[in-house]
Amino acid sequence: MASPPPPAPAAAAAHSVFVYGTLMAEEVVRVLLGRVPPSSPALLPNHQRLSIRGRVYPAILPVDGSKVPGKVWKGITDRELDVLDIFEDEEYVRETVGILLTDSADTMVAYAYIWGNVDDPDLYGEWDFDEWKKVHLKDYLTMTQDFKEELEQLESETHD
C-alpha cells in the first residue's frame, strides 16, 4: 500500500481586495504585484465613489443607499497586501467590507481602502473609470512603475 503524500506546505494567507478606482486597471496591478490575480466584478453597497480635487484617483465613503461598482482581486498574498497598503498611503484606511459579486450574486467579505477624511472639502461628484483610462492611464502607469522601483530599492537597502 502506498504511503500518503506529504502534507502541502502552509500557504501564505490569501486575501480578497475590493478595488474601485485605478486598481481596477489590470496594467496597474501587473506593475504593482508582478501578476494579475483572478478577479470578479463586484459592487460595494452603502458607499459612494467620489472624485478628489487635484488628483486623478477616487475616494469612497460610506453613504447609505449608494453602491460602488468595482472588482475584487482574489488570492492576494500577505506580501502583495503590504505593497497595496504602501501604494494606497495613509489617506486611506483598509477596512473589511461585505461585497456582492455581480457575476454570481454571491456575497463575500473583502478588504477595501476607504478615504480617511469623511469631511474632506476636496471630495466632489462621481469619478469615471473609463474617462480616467482614456486621459490618465499612460502617465499613471509611469508613476506606478516609479513607485514600484523606489519600493524595491528601499527593500533591497533594508535587507543588505
Side-chain angles (χ1 to χ4, degrees):
M1 185 165 143
S3 60
H15 305 281
S16 296
V17 179
F18 174 80
V19 296
Y20 53 86
T22 61
L23 291 176
M24 288 194 301
E26 289 184 1
E27 304 93 322
V28 172
V29 172
R30 185 177 291 111
V31 169
L32 286 174
L33 304 183
R35 70 183 185 107
V36 177
S39 68
S40 294
L43 284 173
L44 174 60
N46 297 314
H47 285 75
Q48 183 178 7
R49 180 171 58 190
L50 300 157
S51 295
I52 308 169
R53 204 170 320 286
R55 306 191 197 192
V56 300
Y57 50 86
I60 58 172
L61 289 175
V63 174
D64 283 344
S66 291
K67 56 184 173 278
V68 175
K71 69 167 61 168
V72 59
W73 295 112
K74 300 172 184 174
I76 302 295
T77 66
D78 289 343
R79 165 98 180 79
E80 291 169 334
L81 191 61
D82 288 344
V83 170
L84 294 176
D85 284 349
I86 295 165
F87 186 71
E88 290 295 348
D89 210 7
E90 67 272 353
E91 292 177 306
Y92 292 90
V93 178
R94 179 169 34 102
E95 294 183 12
T96 302
V97 296
I99 59 173
L100 174 68
L101 302 180
T102 57
D103 57 358
S104 66
D106 290 337
T107 58
M108 68 180 288
V109 172
Y111 289 125
Y113 293 94
I114 312 293
W115 194 248
N117 180 2
V118 297
D119 298 318
D120 191 329
D122 290 330
L123 299 180
Y124 70 98
E126 180 66 28
W127 186 84
D128 185 317
F129 179 66
D130 292 327
E131 177 72 12
W132 172 83
K133 278 183 82 165
K134 279 190 269 193
V135 176
H136 298 290
L137 178 60
K138 185 171 182 274
D139 290 340
Y140 200 83
L141 280 172
T142 301
M143 181 280 301
T144 304
Q145 186 64 51
D146 292 346
F147 165 85
K148 182 66 172 169
E149 288 169 7
E150 286 177 30
L151 186 60
E152 288 169 351
Q153 181 68 36
L154 281 172
E155 288 174 346
S156 70
E157 289 170 7
T158 58
H159 289 92
D160 286 345

